[in-house]
Amino acid sequence: MKPKNSLYILFILITSFCFGQMDTYSKKIELKGIDSLWHNIEIPNIVFKDLNRNMSDIRVYGITATDTIEAPYLHKVSKAKNANSKISFNLFNSVNNAKGYFYTYELPNKETIDEIFLNIEDPNFNWMVTLEGSQHLKQWFTILEDYRILSINNNQTDYSFTTLKFPDTNYKYYRVLIKSSEKPNLTSVNILKKANKAATYRDYGVRDFSISKEDKKTIIDIDLENRVPINLLELTVNDKIDYYRPISIQYMADSVKTDKGYFYNYKPLATKTLSSREETSFQLPGSLAQKLRVIILNNDNQPLKISDVKLKGYIHTLTSRFTEPARYFLVYDKPNANFPDYDISKTTISLPKHITKLDFGNVVEIPQPQIENTSPLFENKWWLWVIIAIVIATLGYFTIGMMKKEL
């Protein structure tokens, strides 16, 4: 055999051995552009449709001439950084006059804030609020004026909106005026620090959505192009009236094909309130889904006019370390896989400020090892009948022989 052919066969055998360590996964995508120790891998949408629900079956494997190596990674999600974190403050004073009830708060440290949450335990109210800011208690600047807060608690609705939202401010003192003739049952206040970094979302293509109305409900069925992690739902409501509608957001868990078509089994994802006082966008827990259903409870009200829906998700990035030259792949799709256990996830890693993203090849199916079916000893049933006949004849022969001896 020629030396060139021998080396070729040896390479094939070694490569087959290396791939054998990945054959418990079903799919792979080659990673391109590796030229440094650290790189970012933004997980593409096409990968999510084949992942486990908890995304535990993602690996980065590299193939060398003699071995398969695993590159560790840190899984990062582009959610807001330090979002809605509370800051300390002091109640400076609390007074009232004919205008209403005043509450003044002092922030010991200079912080940029954009929300104040008022925890009011009165069951039903509809009050106007004025919010002002000052640096030294001598001159006040209006931040919000005639800002409505309310609570509705009856047989049809249990809704409360008491969050003051405003542009970024950094005053030392804040004064809240609740225009009420009766003292509000204000039990606590949370002053929220502006997020250091806003969340970054990836827009998902909505293949189709349909709206139907039945039994005092509006049902919106949404079909996405792929199964993806969903973190934000946005509804476009054209009505200009005040409305407060409980809504249920569900995702399709599985489907069954019947004679009348597919039956979809939906499970709860979140329960929210669609209100004219708040943004018509809702944070979701990031479940992997392709079909969603939104149920709006109209009660005795006219259905709202919904003209559009949008779905978004956080960007999932693997910051991976490449210590050896190899041909690397993003490998995934393994049922019941456990999360990887890497040292870099347990220690503080000093990452470079600028980490480049890798490009992708095409999705490739990983060949699975063939399970050899052992053929039965006798594939033809006539052999079985022949053996049974021989056994019966043998037993009969010895039985007759024993009977003759006894006679």
Side-chain angles (χ1 to χ4, degrees), residues 169-183:
T169 59
N170 56 359
Y171 293 104
K172 183 176 179 59
Y173 299 94
Y174 292 88
R175 184 167 65 186
V176 178
L177 166 60
I178 301 178
K179 299 178 181 180
S180 169
S181 58
E182 298 180 359
K183 184 177 181 179

Side-chain angles (χ1 to χ4, degrees), residues 1-10:
M1 185 179 291
K2 295 181 179 180
K4 184 177 181 181
N5 293 337
S6 300
L7 291 174
Y8 177 76
I9 293 174
L10 179 62

Side-chain angles (χ1 to χ4, degrees), residues 269-329:
L269 188 60
T271 301
K272 305 286 185 177
T273 300
L274 183 61
S275 168
S276 56
R277 301 300 307 167
E278 302 181 71
E279 295 180 356
T280 56
S281 60
F282 306 97
Q283 289 287 337
L284 301 176
S287 295
L288 288 168
Q290 183 171 357
K291 292 181 180 292
L292 266 73
R293 173 169 288 177
V294 181
I295 301 176
I296 304 174
L297 301 180
N298 298 316
N299 297 314
D300 295 324
N301 303 292
Q302 289 291 326
L304 298 173
K305 298 180 180 66
I306 309 295
S307 61
D308 194 17
V309 296
K310 292 181 180 179
L311 287 164
K312 301 181 179 182
Y314 296 141
I315 298 173
H316 291 254
T317 302
L318 309 181
T319 300
S320 189
R321 184 178 64 194
F322 301 90
T323 57
E324 298 183 38
R327 188 182 179 190
Y328 284 94
F329 296 86

Side-chain angles (χ1 to χ4, degrees), residues 203-375:
D203 293 323
Y204 297 136
V206 176
R207 182 162 55 189
D208 184 36
F209 80 95
S210 60
I211 300 176
S212 59
K213 302 175 179 63
E214 60 179 56
D215 193 26
K216 299 183 179 181
K217 299 176 183 177
T218 298
I219 300 175
I220 306 173
D221 286 315
I222 308 168
D223 188 7
L224 295 172
E225 295 177 353
N226 295 296
R227 176 175 176 260
V228 287
I230 300 170
N231 297 96
L232 189 70
L233 166 68
E234 295 181 353
L235 300 176
T236 301
V237 183
N238 295 338
D239 299 78
K240 304 302 180 183
I241 59 173
D242 286 338
Y243 53 84
Y244 315 96
R245 310 283 173 90
I247 68 171
S248 172
I249 305 171
Q250 306 172 354
Y251 73 95
M252 188 196 74
D254 52 57
S255 60
V256 178
K257 188 175 183 180
T258 65
D259 295 338
K260 298 181 179 179
Y262 280 96
F263 171 77
Y264 299 112
N265 178 30
Y266 286 90
K267 290 187 177 181
L269 188 60
T271 301
K272 305 286 185 177
T273 300
L274 183 61
S275 168
S276 56
R277 301 300 307 167
E278 302 181 71
E279 295 180 356
T280 56
S281 60
F282 306 97
Q283 289 287 337
L284 301 176
S287 295
L288 288 168
Q290 183 171 357
K291 292 181 180 292
L292 266 73
R293 173 169 288 177
V294 181
I295 301 176
I296 304 174
L297 301 180
N298 298 316
N299 297 314
D300 295 324
N301 303 292
Q302 289 291 326
L304 298 173
K305 298 180 180 66
I306 309 295
S307 61
D308 194 17
V309 296
K310 292 181 180 179
L311 287 164
K312 301 181 179 182
Y314 296 141
I315 298 173
H316 291 254
T317 302
L318 309 181
T319 300
S320 189
R321 184 178 64 194
F322 301 90
T323 57
E324 298 183 38
R327 188 182 179 190
Y328 284 94
F329 296 86
L330 180 67
V331 180
Y332 60 99
D333 190 5
K334 179 180 179 180
N336 303 318
N338 295 321
F339 283 101
D341 187 9
Y342 298 133
D343 290 338
I344 62 174
S345 63
K346 302 174 184 177
T347 58
T348 303
I349 300 294
S350 180
L351 297 175
K353 291 184 178 180
H354 303 287
I355 302 178
T356 58
K357 294 189 299 183
L358 294 179
D359 296 324
F360 300 100
N362 297 322
V363 177
V364 177
E365 298 279 345
I366 299 177
Q368 301 298 304
Q370 298 295 324
I371 300 175
E372 295 184 2
N373 295 322
T374 304
S375 301

Side-chain angles (χ1 to χ4, degrees), residues 77-252:
V77 183
S78 62
K79 60 177 64 175
K81 186 177 180 181
N82 295 330
N84 298 329
S85 57
K86 301 177 184 178
I87 62 175
S88 61
F89 62 92
N90 302 315
L91 177 61
F92 189 78
N93 64 25
S94 174
V95 298
N96 68 288
N97 58 22
K99 293 183 178 180
Y101 289 81
F102 294 83
Y103 303 89
T104 304
Y105 302 98
E106 178 188 12
L107 274 60
N109 301 314
K110 188 175 182 180
E111 298 278 5
T112 300
I113 70 171
D114 56 2
E115 285 188 22
I116 297 178
F117 173 73
L118 308 175
N119 187 10
I120 302 175
E121 293 191 354
D122 298 86
N124 289 284
F125 58 84
N126 184 3
W127 297 323
M128 295 297 180
V129 171
T130 296
L131 174 65
E132 298 172 306
S134 176
Q135 299 292 3
H136 41 64
L137 296 175
K138 296 180 180 180
Q139 185 178 11
W140 291 91
F141 299 92
T142 301
I143 302 172
L144 296 173
E145 189 172 12
D146 289 336
Y147 187 93
R148 177 176 292 179
I149 60 173
L150 74 160
S151 175
I152 304 173
N153 192 335
N154 53 41
N155 294 332
Q156 294 184 343
T157 303
D158 184 6
Y159 173 75
S160 176
F161 175 70
T162 59
T163 301
L164 311 182
K165 298 183 179 184
F166 44 88
D168 299 347
T169 59
N170 56 359
Y171 293 104
K172 183 176 179 59
Y173 299 94
Y174 292 88
R175 184 167 65 186
V176 178
L177 166 60
I178 301 178
K179 299 178 181 180
S180 169
S181 58
E182 298 180 359
K183 184 177 181 179
N185 188 11
L186 180 60
T187 57
S188 64
V189 174
N190 291 329
I191 297 179
L192 304 181
K193 182 179 179 180
K194 177 180 171 57
N196 292 347
K197 183 180 179 181
T200 304
Y201 293 99
R202 176 183 292 170
D203 293 323
Y204 297 136
V206 176
R207 182 162 55 189
D208 184 36
F209 80 95
S210 60
I211 300 176
S212 59
K213 302 175 179 63
E214 60 179 56
D215 193 26
K216 299 183 179 181
K217 299 176 183 177
T218 298
I219 300 175
I220 306 173
D221 286 315
I222 308 168
D223 188 7
L224 295 172
E225 295 177 353
N226 295 296
R227 176 175 176 260
V228 287
I230 300 170
N231 297 96
L232 189 70
L233 166 68
E234 295 181 353
L235 300 176
T236 301
V237 183
N238 295 338
D239 299 78
K240 304 302 180 183
I241 59 173
D242 286 338
Y243 53 84
Y244 315 96
R245 310 283 173 90
I247 68 171
S248 172
I249 305 171
Q250 306 172 354
Y251 73 95
M252 188 196 74

